[in-house]
Amino acid sequence: MFDVFFDYRGLFIEGLLVTLQLNAIVVVLSVAGGALIGVARHYGGKIVRVVLGIPVDILRSIPLLVVLIWVFFASPMVFGTRYIDPFVAAVIGLSLTQGAYISEIVRGGLASVRSTQTRAGLALGMTRTQVVTRVVAPQALIRMLPPIGSQVAIGIKDSTLASVIAVPELFRQSQIVIGDSMQPFVVLTTLMVFYFVLVMIVVRLIDMLYTRVAARGAS
Amino acid sequence: MTDSLDTRKMAMSGAEPLVLLDGISHAYPNGKVSLTELSFAVHPGEVVCLLGPSGSGKSTAIRCVNMLEPVTAGRLVFEGIDVTAKDVNQVEVRKRVGMVFQNFELFPHMSVLKNVAIGPIVSLKRPKAEAYDLARELLAKVGLSDKGDVLPSQLSGGQQQRVAIARALAMQPDVMLFDEPTSALDPEMVGEVLAVMRKLAEEGMTMVVVTHEMRFARNVADWVVVMEDGRLVEEGTPERIFEQPRMERTRAFFGKLEEQDGVLPTG
């Protein structure tokens, strides 16, 4: 019954590697970009907050499926080319959308540290920058861990949508195998187990990290 | 009689005020006026208590002293320098002014010892070993030498406030500001914090204290300032203010306290 995985191992291994690679890149880009945008929106004053809020709100309002298809089929016209690599398109679409959500988590985390903590830092003769790096950011970071963990989990699951623009990730490869082998039950069920295990590992790791530092974020 | 009651010891010594509020006004960004032409002086070694009903601007006034709130008019003179001038480095002034907050405001992500050491390490760029030695010394002084390794959240309110005092002292400030330091405490913990403050006063620390603890003001203060609606109502020695308040509004304020808490402290 599980012969199918051996028979099509080449496709599955490629799919697995692409899925892991895609998600690793998206996590790094979306967390870095989201942090940058979130920090800028929190500390950048009104104009920065409003201007950077526009793309964030747009990305949070458009279905990811539409974003991915737009990046793959439509964005090349904007940049005057005819083709964009599906993997690159998936990285861009997923990172933009994930980054938008993460920027809101970062902004909320920074805002959640009450302003009297900033006053306490200033009263100790710290500069504004020192207050942010020594007092506000560490506390905000701890509080951001659980929601960022959830968002990364959503990102991993949503990465299957990249199959519609022919990224050879695990779900796409599985569909190919199903079409050829006529064994949808075993392939799809195994796929579910695989995503369950992958997401649980990520979520539990972040939870464990959070539990260790949670007391330090309470205030 | 009145003269002897009104004698201000520190002012008599001829010393320049350490802190001088010279007709300062303050309004919040929403336009609400919180201070109107407030003036009073704090001399070296003096304990000045700010009294008055809530909303009278006491807390805003001491936050103006270390420029956590910007004054909109008037002069604020610190150690002879007008710090409301544009070219004054606020950070440098704040390094010499300690502050203790109503809600402690310890940094929850740092151990108690690090909370006390962080000011000297970050602001004064002191070597870490030196800062931690000083921090241990100060924790002992506030009676918490065994609590250095725990997080602030593991301490009681009274203990947290004593750590906060040690944290402010670590900067070796010239003046200490206390913004209602016992208002957020359970009644049984008020005493331990006031005891530390009393010890500091006895050691000659210059202190400005916003408080509702009338007994503390009566016994420890050298000078009392009564405020209402962002203005100074009257000022004087605690003996004079408590025994012979001149202004009707001071009497009304004390009368309200008496209704709540029974008798005013008399000595």
Side-chain angles (χ1 to χ4, degrees), chain B residues 21-180:
Chain B
L21 286 74
D22 185 5
I24 66 165
S25 298
H26 173 271
Y28 283 100
N30 63 14
K32 188 179 165 279
V33 175
S34 45
L35 296 177
T36 311
E37 291 174 13
L38 179 70
S39 298
F40 66 86
V42 183
H43 296 88
E46 220 172 30
V47 177
V48 174
C49 280
L50 267 56
L51 310 181
S54 50
S56 57
K58 312 179 294 290
S59 295
T60 311
I62 68 164
R63 285 207 291 268
C64 284
V65 172
N66 65 351
M67 288 168 295
L68 290 179
E69 292 289 345
V71 303
T72 45
R75 278 189 332 142
L76 183 77
V77 183
F78 179 73
E79 297 182 332
I81 298 160
D82 180 357
V83 294
T84 38
K86 281 201 168 57
D87 57 340
V88 166
N89 185 343
Q90 301 191 337
V91 173
E92 290 306 313
V93 175
R94 290 197 191 111
K95 287 177 186 173
R96 328 210 18 197
V97 181
M99 187 161 199
V100 175
F101 297 83
Q102 182 174 356
N103 289 308
F104 331 133
E105 301 304 338
L106 294 178
F107 304 131
H109 55 297
M110 299 175 190
S111 71
V112 162
L113 189 69
K114 188 158 187 199
N115 261 280
V116 181
I118 193 76
I121 291 173
V122 173
S123 303
L124 303 177
K125 310 266 184 272
R126 290 280 150 74
K128 280 191 180 168
E130 187 188 306
Y132 281 115
D133 282 345
L134 175 65
R136 269 183 282 271
E137 206 176 290
L138 288 166
L139 279 182
K141 183 184 173 120
V142 298
L144 293 169
S145 14
D146 55 333
K147 300 291 187 190
D149 295 330
V150 307
L151 290 175
S153 54
Q154 292 165 272
L155 299 181
S156 72
Q159 290 172 327
Q160 289 190 50
Q161 194 61 301
R162 280 144 67 196
V163 174
I165 293 173
R167 178 178 69 174
L169 288 173
M171 295 294 288
Q172 295 172 315
D174 299 336
V175 57
M176 287 278 283
L177 311 175
F178 293 83
D179 187 2
E180 302 202 26

Side-chain angles (χ1 to χ4, degrees), chain A residues 1 3-5 7-8 11-12 173-188:
Chain A
M1 178 172 154
D3 288 353
V4 62
F5 294 105
D7 296 343
Y8 295 92
L11 283 170
F12 281 118
Q173 303 299 74
S174 302
Q175 284 174 306
I176 293 171
V177 172
I178 290 165
D180 196 55
S181 67
M182 297 297 171
Q183 293 206 52
F185 180 81
V186 64
V187 172
L188 286 175

Side-chain angles (χ1 to χ4, degrees), chain A residues 139-156:
Chain A
Q139 294 181 57
L141 206 58
I142 292 168
R143 295 177 200 186
M144 288 172 208
L145 271 179
I148 286 183
S150 303
Q151 198 58 48
V152 167
I154 291 171
I156 293 171

Side-chain angles (χ1 to χ4, degrees), chain A residues 87-102:
Chain A
F87 185 82
V88 174
V91 165
I92 293 171
L94 277 164
S95 299
L96 283 176
T97 304
Q98 283 290 96
Y101 282 105
I102 287 172

